[in-house]
Amino acid sequence: QQQVKQSPQSLIVQKGGISIINCAYENTAFDYFPWYQQFPGKGPALLIAIRPDVSEKKEGRFTISFNKSAKQFSLHIMDSQPGDSATYFCAASYNYGQNFVFGPGTRLSVLP
Amino acid sequence: DAGITQSPRHKVTETGTPVTLRCHQTENHRYMYWYRQDPGHGLRLIHYSYGVKDTDKGEVSDGYSVSRSKTEDFLLTLESATSSQTSVYFCAIRLDRDGNTIYFGEGSWLTVV
């Protein structure tokens, strides 16, 4: 019940296309859902996050869509660029971040 | 930048030897974490600390110990390294002013041969 599932494992998108990564959870206690972006040789960096009281949050080309009833959330990258090529992790937490669970990651490659 | 420094950044060690990884933060936040990252497993919590001398186990704590004698430093020790502990280790902190998000260091690459 602590698990966060993430798909796809890898994704190849053409420059300018839309990248979509999906995550699902079981534990309804989760109340914070961040996404992290990781470049090779670097630590994961917070990209964008959402709480379950909203269905969508947008920051620039990055949007989180959240479906509370389905217990699913997704990351959409609009106008994908080669510089977006990285590994993306979804995560879920509750209890003010004391319990933090990560998905297994999605490796995104954006072709020029 | 959350002011996290990990050392060493890269290390090769032999099976059976002790190894200590250090995480240092500059802002004295209360919560600190050690994760390991392996292909197909994402990020898994090893141990975390919620204050000086206050630590607890995470999902994959076997074979690891931690210590926090100062707020700014969180040490991860492999008492007797094994090849299965070859991994990338990330330290993370949770900002006291933002209780929900954790921020990661740059990582320590450990190879046990």
Side-chain angles (χ1 to χ4, degrees):
Chain A
Q1 202 177 21
Q2 284 289 87
Q3 194 177 18
V4 174
K5 296 179 181 180
Q6 183 174 346
S7 63
Q9 189 174 14
S10 63
L11 180 62
I12 299 175
V13 174
Q14 293 287 338
K15 179 182 176 181
I18 302 174
S19 304
I20 301 174
I21 305 170
N22 300 298
C23 285
Y25 64 98
E26 289 295 324
N27 189 346
T28 56
F30 288 133
D31 59 8
Y32 183 70
F33 301 88
W35 284 88
Y36 286 81
Q37 179 188 54
Q38 184 181 29
F39 293 107
K42 299 291 187 181
L46 177 66
L47 184 63
I48 186 173
I50 196 169
R51 292 193 173 279
D53 52 348
V54 297
S55 60
E56 185 175 284
K57 182 175 182 180
K58 183 176 181 180
E59 290 184 3
R61 296 184 292 108
F62 300 91
T63 301
I64 300 179
S65 297
F66 188 84
N67 186 330
K68 188 174 181 179
S69 60
K71 292 185 282 188
Q72 295 175 349
F73 58 110
S74 59
L75 176 70
H76 296 238
I77 306 174
M78 311 300 288
D79 187 26
S80 298
Q81 299 296 312
D84 296 330
S85 297
T87 299
Y88 292 82
F89 294 94
C90 62
S93 76
Y94 65 96
N95 196 16
Y96 296 99
Q98 255 184 278
N99 304 84
F100 228 96
V101 180
F102 286 89
T106 296
R107 179 173 289 185
L108 171 66
S109 297
V110 181
L111 303 180
Chain B
D1 181 6
I4 305 169
T5 304
Q6 291 186 231
S7 60
R9 294 291 315 281
H10 299 271
K11 186 174 182 65
V12 180
T13 192
E14 293 185 349
T15 299
T17 61
V19 177
T20 295
L21 305 180
R22 178 178 181 246
C23 178
H24 177 78
Q25 60 155 324
T26 59
E27 299 183 5
N28 292 325
H29 295 290
R30 188 176 162 207
Y31 280 83
M32 299 183 75
Y33 307 81
W34 276 108
Y35 284 86
R36 61 178 288 175
Q37 184 176 27
D38 305 287
H41 292 278
L43 292 147
R44 294 182 291 174
L45 182 65
I46 305 171
H47 281 279
Y48 69 97
S49 170
Y50 45 96
V52 173
K53 293 188 170 60
D54 292 323
T55 65
D56 207 348
K57 296 179 179 180
E59 178 188 357
V60 289
S61 60
D62 288 348
Y64 301 95
S65 63
V66 290
S67 66
R68 193 163 177 203
S69 58
K70 296 185 291 183
T71 302
E72 60 265 37
D73 289 328
F74 192 30
L75 304 181
L76 176 70
T77 298
L78 290 66
E79 300 290 347
S80 178
T82 67
S83 58
S84 65
Q85 293 176 312
T86 292
S87 186
V88 185
Y89 293 86
F90 288 100
C91 174
I93 63 172
R94 177 154 64 94
L95 303 187
D96 290 346
R97 62 180 181 271
D98 172 9
N100 294 288
T101 302
I102 62 174
Y103 296 86
F104 288 88
E106 294 284 272
S108 294
W109 273 253
L110 177 66
T111 301
V112 183
V113 298

